Amino acid sequence: MRNPSAWQPRAATLLGGVASVWTVSLCGLFLDEGLVHALALVPRRVDGLPGILGAPLVHGSFAHLLANTVPLLVLGGMVAIRGVAYYLTTTLAIVVLGGLGLWALGRDAAHVGASGLIFGYFGFLVGRGYYERRLQSVAVSILVAALYGGMLAGVLPRDDGVSWEAHLFGLLAGWLCARAAGRDALR
């Protein structure tokens, strides 16, 4: 990008989103733990529906929040490079599609954290290279796969309390968003 001022709104939007995650999570962890439960996604329950939008904002521990911060910044930043509207639309689509999949098919538990969104960014960025087939998109896809490909193990079922379902549905949502965006880019 040739115009440095074009980066400012993108960076501000990305940092604002991560700051929102930090603010809500810290409030839930240290001021009102009921907030974590109120914003958790609980599958197949009407009172769990707000969690579709709320779950990425709250985390179960400070370590969980820290673990999600760098991938949110790196992968979210790669999405934000294309613009604020592109970033916001993609983020919302991943959160809603992944959240609906988790709500409909996830195990009966309270699911929290931004890792579903992170897996969605991963699926989106890798899928974008596949569907767009432009040099820049393919290069980003390869870079993302090289840096974060190991996280794919996170979509496998496990018993340690980690929401592998959020990872799986986030990944699928990101891939679907890449498919839709790739079709638009080819027109």
Side-chain angles (χ1 to χ4, degrees), residues 60 64 107 109-112 115 157-167:
H64 185 204
R107 72 188 131 122
H111 300 264
V112 297
S115 56
R158 45 201 289 179
D159 288 329
D160 60 359
V162 172
S163 179
W164 62 270
E165 303 101 313
H167 299 171

Side-chain angles (χ1 to χ4, degrees), residues 85-100:
Y86 190 87
Y87 167 77
L88 292 173
T89 302
T90 301
T91 299
L92 183 61
I94 289 169
V95 166
V96 171
L97 290 173
L100 286 171

Side-chain angles (χ1 to χ4, degrees), residues 1 6-7 9-11 13-14 75-90 124-141 177-178 180-186:
M1 187 165 315
W7 285 97
R10 293 173 180 140
T13 302
L14 174 66
L75 297 174
M78 290 180 172
V79 174
I81 284 172
R82 292 205 177 182
V84 171
Y86 190 87
Y87 167 77
L88 292 173
T89 302
T90 301
F124 178 77
L125 292 165
V126 171
R128 197 171 71 184
Y130 177 80
Y131 288 111
E132 285 184 9
R133 299 194 176 145
R134 292 182 181 164
L135 182 59
Q136 180 184 6
S137 297
V138 171
V140 167
S141 179
C177 290
R183 285 184 179 164
D184 290 342
L186 295 174

